Amino acid sequence: SSFQSQVASRSSSFGDMESMASMTPMTAAWMPKEMMSEDSEVLMAVSRLAARVLFEPTPKTSAGVAAMVEVLKPKLHQLFGSQSSSALSAFLLIWDEQFQLAAMAGVVVEKLPGFQDEVPRVCYLVIDPRLHGQGFGSMLMRQCEDWAAARGHRAIWLFHYSHKARLHHWYSKMGYQTVTHRTATVPVPGQGEMEGTVQMIERDVTLKRKPL
């Protein structure tokens, strides 16, 4: 596939060890910014996985997924693919044996509302539902934490939906503590007659922090 050929051609320019990691299925690899360019297969795969899984309720039709992709793709490119982006950021992908995107996570250094300093925040943590429970989420979180620690940060942050009790428990188990609650405006796929559209809706979110 073109996705596989992009990965293969890009990884051939790495050193041997990095090349092996980049090509090994079910192994996390950091994406160079040029592989997240506006017209890349990688950016489309990332946008589709986020569109299918990340927001609630999830889209029920291909038109619903496509509408979410239109909203998410420019944002993902701006954060992780734009060479002119001032944000320090990195994006981590795991793909399966068929080079289908299996899981992903991003980390962005930015100012959070109400805080003075720029801090690293985990975002776009998504695991394909068919692969839940296999440890990919923990693997991605650890690598994001290591990335932040290697750049001198003493803590890492994230938001999650406040109503997700299972997520709260999972993050708490990994050492994340609740800092505050707030509302955030998020894209939501239209339902029923609105399928194929995207609505911006306010949702309660929880801000968590883990010392590094």
mmCIF file with all atom_site columns, all heavy atoms in Angstrom, residues 16 56 63 94 198:
data_model
loop_
_atom_site.group_PDB
_atom_site.id
_atom_site.type_symbol
_atom_site.label_atom_id
_atom_site.label_alt_id
_atom_site.label_comp_id
_atom_site.label_asym_id
_atom_site.label_entity_id
_atom_site.label_seq_id
_atom_site.pdbx_PDB_ins_code
_atom_site.Cartn_x
_atom_site.Cartn_y
_atom_site.Cartn_z
_atom_site.occupancy
_atom_site.B_iso_or_equiv
_atom_site.pdbx_formal_charge
_atom_site.auth_seq_id
_atom_site.auth_comp_id
_atom_site.auth_asym_id
_atom_site.auth_atom_id
_atom_site.pdbx_PDB_model_num
ATOM 1  N N   . ASP A 1 16  ? 20.078  1.571  11.340 1.00 0.00 ? 16  ASP A N   1
ATOM 2  C CA  . ASP A 1 16  ? 19.543  0.208  11.332 1.00 0.00 ? 16  ASP A CA  1
ATOM 3  C C   . ASP A 1 16  ? 18.541  -0.036 12.455 1.00 0.00 ? 16  ASP A C   1
ATOM 4  O O   . ASP A 1 16  ? 17.491  -0.610 12.236 1.00 0.00 ? 16  ASP A O   1
ATOM 5  C CB  . ASP A 1 16  ? 20.686  -0.804 11.465 1.00 0.00 ? 16  ASP A CB  1
ATOM 6  C CG  . ASP A 1 16  ? 21.420  -0.965 10.150 1.00 0.00 ? 16  ASP A CG  1
ATOM 7  O OD1 . ASP A 1 16  ? 20.906  -0.437 9.140  1.00 0.00 ? 16  ASP A OD1 1
ATOM 8  O OD2 . ASP A 1 16  ? 22.472  -1.586 10.134 1.00 0.00 ? 16  ASP A OD2 1
ATOM 9  N N   . GLU A 1 56  ? -17.554 10.968 21.052 1.00 0.00 ? 56  GLU A N   1
ATOM 10 C CA  . GLU A 1 56  ? -18.816 10.275 21.333 1.00 0.00 ? 56  GLU A CA  1
ATOM 11 C C   . GLU A 1 56  ? -19.994 11.163 21.007 1.00 0.00 ? 56  GLU A C   1
ATOM 12 O O   . GLU A 1 56  ? -19.951 12.363 21.280 1.00 0.00 ? 56  GLU A O   1
ATOM 13 C CB  . GLU A 1 56  ? -18.877 9.900  22.814 1.00 0.00 ? 56  GLU A CB  1
ATOM 14 C CG  . GLU A 1 56  ? -17.901 8.831  23.219 1.00 0.00 ? 56  GLU A CG  1
ATOM 15 C CD  . GLU A 1 56  ? -18.154 8.388  24.652 1.00 0.00 ? 56  GLU A CD  1
ATOM 16 O OE1 . GLU A 1 56  ? -18.779 9.147  25.422 1.00 0.00 ? 56  GLU A OE1 1
ATOM 17 O OE2 . GLU A 1 56  ? -17.734 7.300  24.995 1.00 0.00 ? 56  GLU A OE2 1
ATOM 18 N N   . ALA A 1 63  ? -20.261 8.384  5.701  1.00 0.00 ? 63  ALA A N   1
ATOM 19 C CA  . ALA A 1 63  ? -20.428 9.841  5.551  1.00 0.00 ? 63  ALA A CA  1
ATOM 20 C C   . ALA A 1 63  ? -20.131 10.549 6.877  1.00 0.00 ? 63  ALA A C   1
ATOM 21 O O   . ALA A 1 63  ? -19.545 11.642 6.899  1.00 0.00 ? 63  ALA A O   1
ATOM 22 C CB  . ALA A 1 63  ? -21.851 10.165 5.091  1.00 0.00 ? 63  ALA A CB  1
ATOM 23 N N   . ILE A 1 94  ? 1.345   3.032  16.152 1.00 0.00 ? 94  ILE A N   1
ATOM 24 C CA  . ILE A 1 94  ? 1.544   1.583  16.119 1.00 0.00 ? 94  ILE A CA  1
ATOM 25 C C   . ILE A 1 94  ? 0.679   1.061  14.976 1.00 0.00 ? 94  ILE A C   1
ATOM 26 O O   . ILE A 1 94  ? -0.507  1.382  14.907 1.00 0.00 ? 94  ILE A O   1
ATOM 27 C CB  . ILE A 1 94  ? 1.096   0.899  17.428 1.00 0.00 ? 94  ILE A CB  1
ATOM 28 C CG1 . ILE A 1 94  ? 1.900   1.443  18.619 1.00 0.00 ? 94  ILE A CG1 1
ATOM 29 C CG2 . ILE A 1 94  ? 1.241   -0.615 17.333 1.00 0.00 ? 94  ILE A CG2 1
ATOM 30 C CD1 . ILE A 1 94  ? 1.401   0.935  19.971 1.00 0.00 ? 94  ILE A CD1 1
ATOM 31 N N   . VAL A 1 198 ? -21.096 17.571 11.370 1.00 0.00 ? 198 VAL A N   1
ATOM 32 C CA  . VAL A 1 198 ? -20.365 17.634 12.637 1.00 0.00 ? 198 VAL A CA  1
ATOM 33 C C   . VAL A 1 198 ? -20.902 18.813 13.428 1.00 0.00 ? 198 VAL A C   1
ATOM 34 O O   . VAL A 1 198 ? -21.069 19.911 12.899 1.00 0.00 ? 198 VAL A O   1
ATOM 35 C CB  . VAL A 1 198 ? -18.845 17.805 12.393 1.00 0.00 ? 198 VAL A CB  1
ATOM 36 C CG1 . VAL A 1 198 ? -18.109 17.980 13.725 1.00 0.00 ? 198 VAL A CG1 1
ATOM 37 C CG2 . VAL A 1 198 ? -18.283 16.611 11.626 1.00 0.00 ? 198 VAL A CG2 1
#
